[in-house]
Amino acid sequence: MENNPNIFYRDKKCIKCHMKFKTPQVKSNAVRIKNRDTDNCPHYKLDNPLFYEFYICPHCHTVFTEHFEEITKQKDKEVLDKIFSNMKNIESLLKERNVDDALRLAKLALFGGEFLRVSSIKLASICLKIAWFNRYKEDVAEENRFLCNAYTHFEKAYNNSDLKIKDKSVPEDFVIYTLAELSYRIGVYIDTKSWFNQLFKFPSRSNYVMKGRDRWTDIRQEMPKIG
């Protein structure tokens, strides 16, 4: 890790044991996006900052993200101890990471997040990143599995009003665009048209509306029966 000038250590506090530790991050001035897929999956020229969005405490081995709340209930701490305390080979996770490291941490964060009942929109984001990591690995089956999981959680977040109550910072037009795109990718075509129609009710100046119009045009050309 010392040989990579794009990586630095950031101070972090564990949400369970409350101990402080240092976690690797990519310097902001080293982030270089090569291109994005239509579901916003970024491809980077240099180090991938998404690999470092999942933290692991070196003291209690709890895995979490920036958006998990501090754990105060003793019963939750006891269960998380059983989940994470026996983890092996975590040394590499505390240093410069590759896609397999990121995938391992993301799946553990998803597992912990489901137990802690974090909001659906947060679980959706984790599932989507797991799908992207599998795309980097060219594992189509696993990518599709987690795209389906992400779609389910995004839909639940939208229908349960998570966006207005628990996660106000997440734009509604972003969620609807993502639902439209994911429904197409996983083959739920009847929902694709419905979600794009929902998106186009937003002001035309919205970035996601403009992006959605271009995407819907492409999709209708690829799948004429949808339109």
Side-chain angles (χ1 to χ4, degrees), residues 161-184:
S161 301
D162 275 9
L163 311 181
K164 297 177 181 178
I165 301 173
K166 298 179 182 177
D167 293 283
K168 298 178 182 178
S169 62
V170 182
E172 189 175 353
D173 55 349
F174 158 75
V175 173
I176 295 175
Y177 172 85
T178 303
L179 282 164
E181 174 65 27
L182 293 184
S183 66
Y184 176 68

PDB file of all heavy atoms in Angstrom, residues 161-184:
ATOM      1  N   SER A 161     -42.021   4.782   0.824  1.00  0.00           N
ATOM      2  CA  SER A 161     -41.739   6.198   1.103  1.00  0.00           C
ATOM      3  C   SER A 161     -40.454   6.396   1.899  1.00  0.00           C
ATOM      4  O   SER A 161     -40.330   7.368   2.643  1.00  0.00           O
ATOM      5  CB  SER A 161     -42.919   6.857   1.843  1.00  0.00           C
ATOM      6  OG  SER A 161     -44.092   6.773   1.066  1.00  0.00           O
ATOM      7  N   ASP A 162     -39.489   5.470   1.760  1.00  0.00           N
ATOM      8  CA  ASP A 162     -38.182   5.661   2.406  1.00  0.00           C
ATOM      9  C   ASP A 162     -37.563   6.982   1.995  1.00  0.00           C
ATOM     10  O   ASP A 162     -36.883   7.648   2.779  1.00  0.00           O
ATOM     11  CB  ASP A 162     -37.225   4.534   1.987  1.00  0.00           C
ATOM     12  CG  ASP A 162     -37.386   3.302   2.850  1.00  0.00           C
ATOM     13  OD1 ASP A 162     -38.348   3.274   3.636  1.00  0.00           O
ATOM     14  OD2 ASP A 162     -36.564   2.380   2.739  1.00  0.00           O
ATOM     15  N   LEU A 163     -37.793   7.376   0.761  1.00  0.00           N
ATOM     16  CA  LEU A 163     -37.135   8.563   0.213  1.00  0.00           C
ATOM     17  C   LEU A 163     -37.615   9.840   0.892  1.00  0.00           C
ATOM     18  O   LEU A 163     -36.889  10.826   0.959  1.00  0.00           O
ATOM     19  CB  LEU A 163     -37.399   8.661  -1.292  1.00  0.00           C
ATOM     20  CG  LEU A 163     -37.155   7.387  -2.099  1.00  0.00           C
ATOM     21  CD1 LEU A 163     -37.434   7.624  -3.565  1.00  0.00           C
ATOM     22  CD2 LEU A 163     -35.736   6.891  -1.905  1.00  0.00           C
ATOM     23  N   LYS A 164     -38.837   9.813   1.401  1.00  0.00           N
ATOM     24  CA  LYS A 164     -39.404  11.011   2.020  1.00  0.00           C
ATOM     25  C   LYS A 164     -39.242  11.019   3.537  1.00  0.00           C
ATOM     26  O   LYS A 164     -39.298  12.071   4.158  1.00  0.00           O
ATOM     27  CB  LYS A 164     -40.888  11.129   1.660  1.00  0.00           C
ATOM     28  CG  LYS A 164     -41.128  11.297   0.163  1.00  0.00           C
ATOM     29  CD  LYS A 164     -42.609  11.337  -0.151  1.00  0.00           C
ATOM     30  CE  LYS A 164     -42.842  11.474  -1.660  1.00  0.00           C
ATOM     31  NZ  LYS A 164     -44.282  11.476  -2.011  1.00  0.00           N
ATOM     32  N   ILE A 165     -39.043   9.827   4.107  1.00  0.00           N
ATOM     33  CA  ILE A 165     -38.986   9.724   5.568  1.00  0.00           C
ATOM     34  C   ILE A 165     -37.573   9.434   6.067  1.00  0.00           C
ATOM     35  O   ILE A 165     -37.009  10.190   6.848  1.00  0.00           O
ATOM     36  CB  ILE A 165     -39.955   8.631   6.064  1.00  0.00           C
ATOM     37  CG1 ILE A 165     -41.396   8.968   5.635  1.00  0.00           C
ATOM     38  CG2 ILE A 165     -39.876   8.482   7.573  1.00  0.00           C
ATOM     39  CD1 ILE A 165     -42.392   7.876   5.919  1.00  0.00           C
ATOM     40  N   LYS A 166     -36.980   8.319   5.589  1.00  0.00           N
ATOM     41  CA  LYS A 166     -35.694   7.880   6.121  1.00  0.00           C
ATOM     42  C   LYS A 166     -34.501   8.394   5.335  1.00  0.00           C
ATOM     43  O   LYS A 166     -33.419   8.590   5.879  1.00  0.00           O
ATOM     44  CB  LYS A 166     -35.643   6.345   6.153  1.00  0.00           C
ATOM     45  CG  LYS A 166     -36.687   5.702   7.047  1.00  0.00           C
ATOM     46  CD  LYS A 166     -36.579   4.184   6.985  1.00  0.00           C
ATOM     47  CE  LYS A 166     -37.641   3.522   7.843  1.00  0.00           C
ATOM     48  NZ  LYS A 166     -37.582   2.046   7.739  1.00  0.00           N
ATOM     49  N   ASP A 167     -34.668   8.569   4.009  1.00  0.00           N
ATOM     50  CA  ASP A 167     -33.524   8.895   3.153  1.00  0.00           C
ATOM     51  C   ASP A 167     -33.859  10.050   2.226  1.00  0.00           C
ATOM     52  O   ASP A 167     -33.894   9.919   1.003  1.00  0.00           O
ATOM     53  CB  ASP A 167     -33.102   7.658   2.349  1.00  0.00           C
ATOM     54  CG  ASP A 167     -32.545   6.562   3.237  1.00  0.00           C
ATOM     55  OD1 ASP A 167     -31.393   6.699   3.653  1.00  0.00           O
ATOM     56  OD2 ASP A 167     -33.263   5.606   3.524  1.00  0.00           O
ATOM     57  N   LYS A 168     -34.109  11.190   2.817  1.00  0.00           N
ATOM     58  CA  LYS A 168     -34.521  12.357   2.052  1.00  0.00           C
ATOM     59  C   LYS A 168     -33.436  12.843   1.090  1.00  0.00           C
ATOM     60  O   LYS A 168     -33.736  13.564   0.139  1.00  0.00           O
ATOM     61  CB  LYS A 168     -34.895  13.486   3.018  1.00  0.00           C
ATOM     62  CG  LYS A 168     -36.059  13.165   3.942  1.00  0.00           C
ATOM     63  CD  LYS A 168     -36.341  14.305   4.894  1.00  0.00           C
ATOM     64  CE  LYS A 168     -37.470  13.962   5.862  1.00  0.00           C
ATOM     65  NZ  LYS A 168     -37.722  15.055   6.818  1.00  0.00           N
ATOM     66  N   SER A 169     -32.191  12.458   1.348  1.00  0.00           N
ATOM     67  CA  SER A 169     -31.093  12.949   0.518  1.00  0.00           C
ATOM     68  C   SER A 169     -31.006  12.229  -0.823  1.00  0.00           C
ATOM     69  O   SER A 169     -30.249  12.644  -1.704  1.00  0.00           O
ATOM     70  CB  SER A 169     -29.757  12.786   1.259  1.00  0.00           C
ATOM     71  OG  SER A 169     -29.502  11.414   1.521  1.00  0.00           O
ATOM     72  N   VAL A 170     -31.767  11.146  -0.990  1.00  0.00           N
ATOM     73  CA  VAL A 170     -31.732  10.387  -2.237  1.00  0.00           C
ATOM     74  C   VAL A 170     -32.792  10.931  -3.187  1.00  0.00           C
ATOM     75  O   VAL A 170     -33.988  10.856  -2.887  1.00  0.00           O
ATOM     76  CB  VAL A 170     -31.970   8.889  -1.986  1.00  0.00           C
ATOM     77  CG1 VAL A 170     -31.874   8.103  -3.292  1.00  0.00           C
ATOM     78  CG2 VAL A 170     -30.965   8.351  -0.970  1.00  0.00           C
ATOM     79  N   PRO A 171     -32.404  11.496  -4.341  1.00  0.00           N
ATOM     80  CA  PRO A 171     -33.392  12.090  -5.259  1.00  0.00           C
ATOM     81  C   PRO A 171     -34.362  11.048  -5.807  1.00  0.00           C
ATOM     82  O   PRO A 171     -33.951   9.959  -6.209  1.00  0.00           O
ATOM     83  CB  PRO A 171     -32.520  12.678  -6.382  1.00  0.00           C
ATOM     84  CG  PRO A 171     -31.151  12.792  -5.801  1.00  0.00           C
ATOM     85  CD  PRO A 171     -31.025  11.673  -4.812  1.00  0.00           C
ATOM     86  N   GLU A 172     -35.627  11.395  -5.840  1.00  0.00           N
ATOM     87  CA  GLU A 172     -36.651  10.463  -6.299  1.00  0.00           C
ATOM     88  C   GLU A 172     -36.479  10.137  -7.784  1.00  0.00           C
ATOM     89  O   GLU A 172     -36.694   9.003  -8.211  1.00  0.00           O
ATOM     90  CB  GLU A 172     -38.038  11.050  -6.045  1.00  0.00           C
ATOM     91  CG  GLU A 172     -39.173  10.077  -6.297  1.00  0.00           C
ATOM     92  CD  GLU A 172     -40.527  10.655  -5.908  1.00  0.00           C
ATOM     93  OE1 GLU A 172     -40.557  11.761  -5.324  1.00  0.00           O
ATOM     94  OE2 GLU A 172     -41.539  10.002  -6.201  1.00  0.00           O
ATOM     95  N   ASP A 173     -36.075  11.149  -8.578  1.00  0.00           N
ATOM     96  CA  ASP A 173     -35.909  10.882 -10.012  1.00  0.00           C
ATOM     97  C   ASP A 173     -34.746   9.935 -10.281  1.00  0.00           C
ATOM     98  O   ASP A 173     -34.786   9.134 -11.226  1.00  0.00           O
ATOM     99  CB  ASP A 173     -35.758  12.180 -10.801  1.00  0.00           C
ATOM    100  CG  ASP A 173     -34.637  13.073 -10.304  1.00  0.00           C
ATOM    101  OD1 ASP A 173     -34.090  12.810  -9.210  1.00  0.00           O
ATOM    102  OD2 ASP A 173     -34.302  14.048 -11.008  1.00  0.00           O
ATOM    103  N   PHE A 174     -33.715   9.975  -9.421  1.00  0.00           N
ATOM    104  CA  PHE A 174     -32.610   9.017  -9.537  1.00  0.00           C
ATOM    105  C   PHE A 174     -33.109   7.596  -9.292  1.00  0.00           C
ATOM    106  O   PHE A 174     -32.774   6.670 -10.032  1.00  0.00           O
ATOM    107  CB  PHE A 174     -31.502   9.358  -8.541  1.00  0.00           C
ATOM    108  CG  PHE A 174     -30.604   8.195  -8.216  1.00  0.00           C
ATOM    109  CD1 PHE A 174     -29.641   7.758  -9.115  1.00  0.00           C
ATOM    110  CD2 PHE A 174     -30.730   7.509  -7.009  1.00  0.00           C
ATOM    111  CE1 PHE A 174     -28.825   6.665  -8.824  1.00  0.00           C
ATOM    112  CE2 PHE A 174     -29.933   6.418  -6.710  1.00  0.00           C
ATOM    113  CZ  PHE A 174     -28.967   6.002  -7.624  1.00  0.00           C
ATOM    114  N   VAL A 175     -33.937   7.426  -8.258  1.00  0.00           N
ATOM    115  CA  VAL A 175     -34.447   6.099  -7.920  1.00  0.00           C
ATOM    116  C   VAL A 175     -35.327   5.561  -9.047  1.00  0.00           C
ATOM    117  O   VAL A 175     -35.220   4.392  -9.441  1.00  0.00           O
ATOM    118  CB  VAL A 175     -35.215   6.131  -6.586  1.00  0.00           C
ATOM    119  CG1 VAL A 175     -35.896   4.797  -6.325  1.00  0.00           C
ATOM    120  CG2 VAL A 175     -34.264   6.468  -5.438  1.00  0.00           C
ATOM    121  N   ILE A 176     -36.193   6.408  -9.590  1.00  0.00           N
ATOM    122  CA  ILE A 176     -37.085   5.959 -10.654  1.00  0.00           C
ATOM    123  C   ILE A 176     -36.298   5.623 -11.915  1.00  0.00           C
ATOM    124  O   ILE A 176     -36.580   4.620 -12.592  1.00  0.00           O
ATOM    125  CB  ILE A 176     -38.167   7.019 -10.933  1.00  0.00           C
ATOM    126  CG1 ILE A 176     -39.066   7.177  -9.706  1.00  0.00           C
ATOM    127  CG2 ILE A 176     -39.004   6.637 -12.152  1.00  0.00           C
ATOM    128  CD1 ILE A 176     -40.089   8.278  -9.835  1.00  0.00           C
ATOM    129  N   TYR A 177     -35.308   6.454 -12.234  1.00  0.00           N
ATOM    130  CA  TYR A 177     -34.462   6.121 -13.397  1.00  0.00           C
ATOM    131  C   TYR A 177     -33.769   4.773 -13.192  1.00  0.00           C
ATOM    132  O   TYR A 177     -33.728   3.940 -14.107  1.00  0.00           O
ATOM    133  CB  TYR A 177     -33.397   7.200 -13.627  1.00  0.00           C
ATOM    134  CG  TYR A 177     -32.403   6.785 -14.694  1.00  0.00           C
ATOM    135  CD1 TYR A 177     -32.670   7.000 -16.039  1.00  0.00           C
ATOM    136  CD2 TYR A 177     -31.225   6.112 -14.349  1.00  0.00           C
ATOM    137  CE1 TYR A 177     -31.786   6.570 -17.026  1.00  0.00           C
ATOM    138  CE2 TYR A 177     -30.338   5.678 -15.326  1.00  0.00           C
ATOM    139  CZ  TYR A 177     -30.632   5.910 -16.662  1.00  0.00           C
ATOM    140  OH  TYR A 177     -29.749   5.465 -17.634  1.00  0.00           O
ATOM    141  N   THR A 178     -33.257   4.564 -11.991  1.00  0.00           N
ATOM    142  CA  THR A 178     -32.555   3.313 -11.698  1.00  0.00           C
ATOM    143  C   THR A 178     -33.506   2.126 -11.791  1.00  0.00           C
ATOM    144  O   THR A 178     -33.147   1.070 -12.315  1.00  0.00           O
ATOM    145  CB  THR A 178     -31.903   3.377 -10.303  1.00  0.00           C
ATOM    146  OG1 THR A 178     -31.023   4.505 -10.251  1.00  0.00           O
ATOM    147  CG2 THR A 178     -31.107   2.112 -10.018  1.00  0.00           C
ATOM    148  N   LEU A 179     -34.727   2.284 -11.292  1.00  0.00           N
ATOM    149  CA  LEU A 179     -35.721   1.223 -11.396  1.00  0.00           C
ATOM    150  C   LEU A 179     -36.037   0.915 -12.864  1.00  0.00           C
ATOM    151  O   LEU A 179     -36.174  -0.253 -13.251  1.00  0.00           O
ATOM    152  CB  LEU A 179     -36.998   1.618 -10.655  1.00  0.00           C
ATOM    153  CG  LEU A 179     -36.936   1.471  -9.132  1.00  0.00           C
ATOM    154  CD1 LEU A 179     -38.075   2.248  -8.472  1.00  0.00           C
ATOM    155  CD2 LEU A 179     -37.011  -0.001  -8.733  1.00  0.00           C
ATOM    156  N   ALA A 180     -36.145   1.952 -13.679  1.00  0.00           N
ATOM    157  CA  ALA A 180     -36.414   1.746 -15.103  1.00  0.00           C
ATOM    158  C   ALA A 180     -35.270   0.987 -15.763  1.00  0.00           C
ATOM    159  O   ALA A 180     -35.489   0.023 -16.513  1.00  0.00           O
ATOM    160  CB  ALA A 180     -36.624   3.096 -15.789  1.00  0.00           C
ATOM    161  N   GLU A 181     -34.056   1.406 -15.468  1.00  0.00           N
ATOM    162  CA  GLU A 181     -32.879   0.764 -16.061  1.00  0.00           C
ATOM    163  C   GLU A 181     -32.707  -0.669 -15.581  1.00  0.00           C
ATOM    164  O   GLU A 181     -32.460  -1.587 -16.379  1.00  0.00           O
ATOM    165  CB  GLU A 181     -31.631   1.586 -15.730  1.00  0.00           C
ATOM    166  CG  GLU A 181     -30.319   0.970 -16.165  1.00  0.00           C
ATOM    167  CD  GLU A 181     -30.168   0.847 -17.674  1.00  0.00           C
ATOM    168  OE1 GLU A 181     -30.784   1.658 -18.394  1.00  0.00           O
ATOM    169  OE2 GLU A 181     -29.443  -0.061 -18.138  1.00  0.00           O
ATOM    170  N   LEU A 182     -32.849  -0.878 -14.283  1.00  0.00           N
ATOM    171  CA  LEU A 182     -32.665  -2.227 -13.747  1.00  0.00           C
ATOM    172  C   LEU A 182     -33.757  -3.173 -14.231  1.00  0.00           C
ATOM    173  O   LEU A 182     -33.485  -4.344 -14.513  1.00  0.00           O
ATOM    174  CB  LEU A 182     -32.635  -2.194 -12.215  1.00  0.00           C
ATOM    175  CG  LEU A 182     -31.447  -1.484 -11.567  1.00  0.00           C
ATOM    176  CD1 LEU A 182     -31.515  -1.619 -10.048  1.00  0.00           C
ATOM    177  CD2 LEU A 182     -30.118  -2.011 -12.084  1.00  0.00           C
ATOM    178  N   SER A 183     -34.994  -2.688 -14.320  1.00  0.00           N
ATOM    179  CA  SER A 183     -36.072  -3.557 -14.792  1.00  0.00           C
ATOM    180  C   SER A 183     -35.783  -4.036 -16.209  1.00  0.00           C
ATOM    181  O   SER A 183     -36.086  -5.188 -16.560  1.00  0.00           O
ATOM    182  CB  SER A 183     -37.424  -2.831 -14.727  1.00  0.00           C
ATOM    183  OG  SER A 183     -37.472  -1.739 -15.626  1.00  0.00           O
ATOM    184  N   TYR A 184     -35.186  -3.164 -17.016  1.00  0.00           N
ATOM    185  CA  TYR A 184     -34.819  -3.569 -18.374  1.00  0.00           C
ATOM    186  C   TYR A 184     -33.692  -4.596 -18.354  1.00  0.00           C
ATOM    187  O   TYR A 184     -33.737  -5.610 -19.056  1.00  0.00           O
ATOM    188  CB  TYR A 184     -34.397  -2.344 -19.192  1.00  0.00           C
ATOM    189  CG  TYR A 184     -33.916  -2.708 -20.572  1.00  0.00           C
ATOM    190  CD1 TYR A 184     -34.797  -3.216 -21.521  1.00  0.00           C
ATOM    191  CD2 TYR A 184     -32.575  -2.561 -20.922  1.00  0.00           C
ATOM    192  CE1 TYR A 184     -34.357  -3.561 -22.788  1.00  0.00           C
ATOM    193  CE2 TYR A 184     -32.126  -2.906 -22.182  1.00  0.00           C
ATOM    194  CZ  TYR A 184     -33.026  -3.413 -23.117  1.00  0.00           C
ATOM    195  OH  TYR A 184     -32.581  -3.769 -24.366  1.00  0.00           O
TER     196      TYR A 184
END
